């Protein structure tokens, strides 16, 4: 029997990485928020890799922090290793990656949520959405509790009709043997949502004491680590190394001879898996010419002996998994503590969402995370904070916040999902961002802190610190433009040490800094700054100087994009009435319902000719509408 259990402004379903960010954002913006989770012990749980960041993903974590979210801060409190990747390449693809203490990460996040004003954390399985006249009104849990709300955010991860698969064994389950959510998936179908079936997987975990590390290569963290949060200033503890090994010919032989038992190839797995994170059996088949594949051994925490075997995701039977493990150098006598598995789950086709992540079918209902067809904790958290922000603003009667593709990787991620959709678990890559020179790891605060402050997630004190940083960088760039460097003996000695050519004439310091071999450290020795620059300020001065020409070109492209984004398309346009549009364009435009001409240009199947026709139609449409009013 149902009973009235309480009223809230915003309800968030699911307390994974998307749900935590959604609920914290909503509560911090002043909304009375309820966070419901199937199991309180699984808040911010990492069912797969115990790591945060990496290419594109690390950029997202920095963006979440710049907006006022929690993932970056929480990682900085709980990491066991920090490492900047791609340092041999340009600044646009530098990416921070952390190994997190898996258990400390979730406990610290849970503590943050429990202490947050306006936020109630409660255990309960949501089985039904209360929807009246196309507007969400609340949720009903398995125990009959009816919680009413003005907005609901669904962040159910891989729990919707979850099914675990290991060889011949299959059973209904969420990740890590948690309860799956069955009835909520059915509720979505009844409301008219189109669902997709996706698959992800995880590798086995092994006991540290059974690994022969002498047969592997050490992978230490950085000597002087950088952090995800712009607020973090101090290291937390000694870093722990990871270890690298490889599959062997015997590994490949075991897998090949057992493909008849692999669910990936026997038809038992229906869901589509992530292309960029294939199972080991898939890798062996697809890349049969490769003699070996990298395997990373990663500690799951400071106070556990479990090691994560990165690169060995599999749904093979348990006995085959043990054989595979023991065929790998360093793991010949390994003890398997947990078996790897595949998990299938339902997701919402994301083209049913507005760019705000509100569903088009049900007003006030938002979705974020793996339910939208993505993979990865970072992609989930990036969507989560935006869904939480927009759910709160919906309740407050304010306009939605939509980050465009030139502002953030989060903007690229959401635009890709709602405009193009995805036929496999979506993973964010730097190559997906056409303005990646602007969307660097180092400048996320420059891009997004003002937005975070405006919506109420960045404190006044933090905002003022940011303004000082921004002004100091501007002043230093101007100083270097005016400062002259002369071809004297001191300059010649310094330039010889850097490997660059000596000066033959007086130039300004900014021009000298543009040389590839010259770092800000050299400039500082030649012309010390009277300003108090921190290390990240110096980094900004150097990157902005060296990338200036490229940045200017991309800014011109961005201005063109913004003109297209400003040309809004009314909600009530009937595309079948637009004469001259191709049939495919009419169908795609009617399905996606883009909010601007800019978004319309990115829809697959909509040609430049279709856009021209649409622009002419809109001009006529707006003239008629203006005349009537």
């Amino acid at each position: 029997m149902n009973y009235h259990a309480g009223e809230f402004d915003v309800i968030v379903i699911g307390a994974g990485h998307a749900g935590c960010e959604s609920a914290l954002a909503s509560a911090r913006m002043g909304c009375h928020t309820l966070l419901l989770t199937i199991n309180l012990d699984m808040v911010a749980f990492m069912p797969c890799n115990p790591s945060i960041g990496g290419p594109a993903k690390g950029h997202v974590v920095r963006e979440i922090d710049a907006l006022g979210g929690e993932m970056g801060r929480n990682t900085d409190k709980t990491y066991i290793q920090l490492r900047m990747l791609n340092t041999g390449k340009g600044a646009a693809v530098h990416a921070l990656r952390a190994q997190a203490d898996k258990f400390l990460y979730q406990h610290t996040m849970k503590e943050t949520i429990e202490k947050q004003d306006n936020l109630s954390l409660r255990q309960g399985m949501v089985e039904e959405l209360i929807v009246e006249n196309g507007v969400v009104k609340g949720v009903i849990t398995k125990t009959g509790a009816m919680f009413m709300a003005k907005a609901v955010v669904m962040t159910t991860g891989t729990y919707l009709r979850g099914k675990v698969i290991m060889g011949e064994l299959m059973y209904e389950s969420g990740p890590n043997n948690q309860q799956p959510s069955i009835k909520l998936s059915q509720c979505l179908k009844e409301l008219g949502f189109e669902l997709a079936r996706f698959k992800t997987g995880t590798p086995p975990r092994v006991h540290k004491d059974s690994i022969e590390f002498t047969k592997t290569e050490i992978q230490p963290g950085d000597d002087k680590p950088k952090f995800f949060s712009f607020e973090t200033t101090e290291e937390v503890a000694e870093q722990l190394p990871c270890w690298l090994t490889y599959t062997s010919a015997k590994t490949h032989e075991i897998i090949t001879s057992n493909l008849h038992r692999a669910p990936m190839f026997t038809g038992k797995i229906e869901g589509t898996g992530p292309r960029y994170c294939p199972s080991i059996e898939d890798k062996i088949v697809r890349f049969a010419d490769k003699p070996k594949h990298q395997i990373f051994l990663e500690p799951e925490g400071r106070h556990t002996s479990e090691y994560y075997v990165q690169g060995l995701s599999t749904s093979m039977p348990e006995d085959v998994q043990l054989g595979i493990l023991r065929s790998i150098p360093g793991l010949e006598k390994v003890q398997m503590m947990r078996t790897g598995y595949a998990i299938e789950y339902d997701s919402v086709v994301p083209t049913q969402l507005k760019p705000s992540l509100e569903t088009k079918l049900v007003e006030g209902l938002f979705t974020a995370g793996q339910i939208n067809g993505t993979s990865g904790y970072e992609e989930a958290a990036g969507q989560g904070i935006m869904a939480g922000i927009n759910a709160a603003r919906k309740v407050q009667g304010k306009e939605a916040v939509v980050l465009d593709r030139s502002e953030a990787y989060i903007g690229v991620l959401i635009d890709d999902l709602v405009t193009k959709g995805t036929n496999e678990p979506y993973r964010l890559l730097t190559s997906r961002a056409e303005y990646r020179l602007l969307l660097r790891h180092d400048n996320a605060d420059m891009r997004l802190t003002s937005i975070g402050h405006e919506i109420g997630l960045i404190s006044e004190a933090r905002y003022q610190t940011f303004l000082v940083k921004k002004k100091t960088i501007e002043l230093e760039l101007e100083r270097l433009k005016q400062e002259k460097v002369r071809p004297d003996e001191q300059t010649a000695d310094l330039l010889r040490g850097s490997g660059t050519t000596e000066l033959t004439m007086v130039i300004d310091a900014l021009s000298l800094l543009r040389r590839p071999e010259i770092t800000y450290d050299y400039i500082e020795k030649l012309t010390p700054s009277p300003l108090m620059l921190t290390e990240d300020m110096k980094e900004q001065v150097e990157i902005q100087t060296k990338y200036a020409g490229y940045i200017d070109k991309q800014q011109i492209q961005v201005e063109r994009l913004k003109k297209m984004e400003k040309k809004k398309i009314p909600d009530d346009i009937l595309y079948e009435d637009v004469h001259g549009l191709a049939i495919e364009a009419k169908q795609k435009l009617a399905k996606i319902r883009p909010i601007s001409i800019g978004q319309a240009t990115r829809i697959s199947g909509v040609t430049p000719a279709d856009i021209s026709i649409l622009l002419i139609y809109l001009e006529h449409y707006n003239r008629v509408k203006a005349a009537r009013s």
Side-chain angles (χ1 to χ4, degrees):
M1 186 162 177
N2 297 340
Y3 72 97
H4 186 77
E7 295 195 12
F8 296 84
D9 293 320
V10 176
I11 293 173
V12 179
I13 305 169
H17 303 284
C20 290
E21 294 294 349
S22 282
L24 286 168
S26 170
R28 288 166 177 171
M29 289 170 68
C31 287
H32 187 31
T33 305
L34 172 65
L35 177 57
L36 283 164
T37 176
I38 291 174
N39 186 346
L40 284 177
D41 297 330
M42 303 298 285
V43 172
F45 181 67
M46 295 178 173
C48 200
N49 199 338
S51 74
I52 298 290
K57 293 169 176 280
H59 293 65
V60 169
V61 181
R62 292 277 276 185
E63 290 173 358
I64 291 166
D65 185 75
L67 288 167
E70 199 62 31
M71 181 174 262
R73 278 192 290 249
N74 204 61
T75 304
D76 290 348
K77 291 175 190 173
T78 61
Y79 71 85
I80 55 180
Q81 185 189 104
L82 283 166
R83 191 173 186 178
M84 188 66 79
L85 308 179
N86 298 331
T87 51
K89 300 178 182 178
V93 291
H94 288 181
L96 187 61
R97 184 178 186 269
Q99 286 297 126
D101 186 315
K102 178 175 182 171
F103 309 101
L104 185 59
Y105 184 95
Q106 62 181 119
H107 294 153
T108 305
M109 185 67 85
K110 183 169 182 271
E111 185 180 21
T112 299
I113 287 166
E114 289 170 341
K115 290 180 177 179
Q116 178 61 49
D117 293 339
N118 293 323
L119 181 53
S120 299
L121 175 62
R122 179 158 173 170
Q123 185 165 294
M125 180 185 286
V126 174
E127 292 196 329
E128 188 179 339
L129 299 170
I130 303 169
V131 178
E132 296 174 8
N133 300 318
V135 180
V136 74
K137 297 294 182 181
V139 304
I140 303 174
T141 70
K142 192 172 187 175
T143 58
M146 294 175 62
F147 294 100
M148 310 308 288
K150 297 164 189 169
V152 173
V153 184
M154 287 185 62
T155 66
T156 50
T158 60
Y159 282 80
L160 288 183
R161 277 203 319 127
K163 182 196 286 184
V164 162
I165 304 163
M166 284 183 281
E168 296 86 3
L169 178 65
M170 291 192 298
Y171 56 92
E172 289 186 341
S173 176
N176 205 45
N177 284 325
Q178 294 300 300
Q179 292 183 71
S181 176
I182 307 299
K183 290 189 177 179
L184 188 55
S185 186
Q186 186 59 38
C187 175
L188 288 173
K189 280 186 179 178
E190 289 170 1
L191 287 169
F193 284 96
E194 183 186 351
L195 304 183
R197 191 75 172 159
F198 282 166
K199 180 220 81 150
T200 188
T202 189
R205 273 65 158 184
V206 299
H207 199 292
K208 173 187 177 181
D209 295 345
S210 64
I211 300 170
E212 294 183 68
F213 290 106
T214 53
K215 295 184 178 180
T216 67
E217 301 169 32
I218 192 167
Q219 304 287 300
D222 292 339
D223 292 334
K224 191 177 179 184
K226 293 190 174 182
F227 304 107
F228 280 113
S229 177
F230 291 92
E231 294 182 305
T232 305
T233 55
E234 295 181 5
E235 298 177 44
V236 294
E238 181 186 355
Q239 298 188 63
L240 301 182
C242 296
W243 306 83
L244 172 63
T245 183
Y246 296 88
T247 57
S248 66
K250 188 179 178 183
T251 311
H252 297 212
E253 182 188 333
I254 291 170
I255 291 169
T256 304
S257 62
N258 282 281
L259 287 178
H260 64 286
R261 300 181 66 195
M264 278 287 297
F265 299 98
T266 60
K268 287 189 176 180
I269 290 180
E270 299 169 23
T272 306
R275 185 189 316 182
Y276 300 101
C277 187
S279 65
I280 187 64
E281 53 267 34
D282 198 20
K283 279 192 273 190
I284 298 304
V285 170
R286 283 167 57 188
F287 308 107
D289 57 318
K290 288 194 73 173
K292 60 182 182 179
H293 296 273
Q294 287 185 328
I295 301 293
F296 290 94
L297 306 174
E298 303 171 346
E300 294 225 318
R302 294 185 187 278
H303 307 290
T304 178
S305 292
E306 279 190 80
Y307 265 60
Y308 181 92
V309 188
Q310 165 76 347
L312 209 70
S313 176
T314 183
S315 56
M316 284 288 213
E318 190 170 85
D319 58 308
V320 178
Q321 290 191 36
L322 187 58
I324 291 169
L325 283 168
R326 291 182 175 173
S327 69
I328 295 169
L331 304 182
E332 290 89 348
K333 299 176 182 176
V334 82
Q335 295 298 318
M336 184 166 67
M337 296 179 72
R338 298 186 200 229
T339 313
Y341 61 87
I343 183 168
E344 285 187 347
Y345 56 94
D346 287 346
S347 63
V348 170
V349 173
T351 51
Q352 298 168 104
L353 307 175
K354 300 175 183 178
S356 63
L357 295 180
E358 183 180 16
T359 66
K360 297 170 185 174
L361 270 175
V362 179
E363 186 180 347
L365 177 64
F366 296 76
T367 60
Q370 281 186 271
I371 188 176
N372 287 345
T374 56
S375 65
Y377 311 141
E378 303 85 356
E379 288 94 335
Q383 293 171 74
I385 191 170
M386 297 312 299
I389 288 167
N390 287 326
R393 288 178 74 86
K394 178 89 176 177
V395 168
Q396 294 163 351
K398 297 176 181 176
E399 190 178 345
V401 174
V402 176
L403 302 176
D404 67 43
R405 299 180 71 91
S406 64
E407 285 181 307
Y409 270 93
I410 295 173
V412 173
L413 162 67
I414 294 174
D415 184 63
D416 277 354
L417 290 173
V418 304
T419 304
K420 302 172 185 174
T422 183
N423 55 11
E424 62 185 48
Y426 176 101
R427 179 179 179 179
L428 195 58
L429 306 165
T430 52
S431 59
R432 296 192 194 271
E434 58 269 56
Y435 306 113
R436 56 186 169 275
L437 289 182
L438 303 179
L439 309 182
R440 303 185 310 274
H441 173 275
D442 60 87
N443 71 349
D445 59 337
M446 297 293 165
R447 294 183 273 120
L448 300 172
T449 303
S450 294
I451 296 173
H453 178 254
E454 187 182 335
I455 60 183
L457 291 179
I458 294 290
S459 69
E460 188 60 34
R462 178 172 171 179
Y463 185 58
Q464 290 304 319
T465 301
F466 160 73
L467 291 179
V468 168
K469 174 183 176 179
K470 188 179 178 185
K471 186 65 177 175
T472 304
I473 292 165
E474 288 169 358
L475 289 172
E476 180 64 359
L477 286 167
E478 187 57 38
R479 183 188 78 85
L480 293 179
K481 197 185 291 182
Q482 305 301 326
E483 194 75 28
K484 301 302 178 187
V485 180
R486 304 180 185 284
D488 54 26
E489 194 55 39
Q490 180 198 358
T491 303
D493 284 345
L494 210 64
L495 295 184
R496 276 194 293 270
S498 72
T500 191
T501 55
E502 295 180 27
L503 297 182
T504 57
M505 57 187 289
V506 176
I507 64 169
D508 61 83
L510 203 66
S511 295
L512 184 58
L513 184 54
R514 287 196 187 105
R515 293 187 179 188
E517 306 88 353
I518 300 296
T519 63
Y520 183 84
D521 290 340
Y522 284 107
I523 300 295
E524 204 170 20
K525 289 171 185 173
L526 286 170
T527 169
S529 177
L531 304 168
M532 298 291 288
L533 273 74
T534 60
E535 287 303 312
D536 60 335
M537 289 179 191
K538 294 174 185 177
E539 179 185 52
Q540 275 300 298
V541 169
E542 183 173 327
I543 292 172
Q544 287 188 31
T545 301
K546 292 188 185 301
Y547 277 74
Y550 303 107
I551 290 170
D552 289 345
K553 284 179 184 176
Q554 290 218 328
Q555 287 289 8
I556 292 167
Q557 294 172 341
V558 168
E559 289 310 311
R560 288 188 197 133
L561 170 75
K562 285 185 175 174
K563 286 178 185 176
M564 301 292 270
E565 299 296 338
K566 283 177 183 175
K567 291 180 179 177
K568 299 298 180 185
I569 301 175
D571 285 339
D572 56 354
I573 274 198
L574 298 173
Y575 290 101
E576 59 265 32
D577 293 345
V578 184
H579 299 297
L581 277 183
I583 292 173
E584 183 182 6
K586 286 182 179 182
Q587 292 171 345
K588 294 285 183 67
L589 289 164
K591 182 181 179 182
I592 306 297
R593 302 212 67 79
I595 62 170
S596 69
I597 290 292
Q599 188 185 358
T601 64
R602 296 188 291 276
I603 298 173
S604 173
V606 177
T607 67
D610 294 320
I611 295 298
S612 297
I613 291 165
L614 188 56
L615 282 168
I616 293 166
Y617 179 85
L618 280 177
E619 199 174 315
H620 173 71
Y621 178 94
N622 291 329
R623 270 204 312 269
V624 170
K625 197 169 185 179
R628 284 175 181 167
S629 59

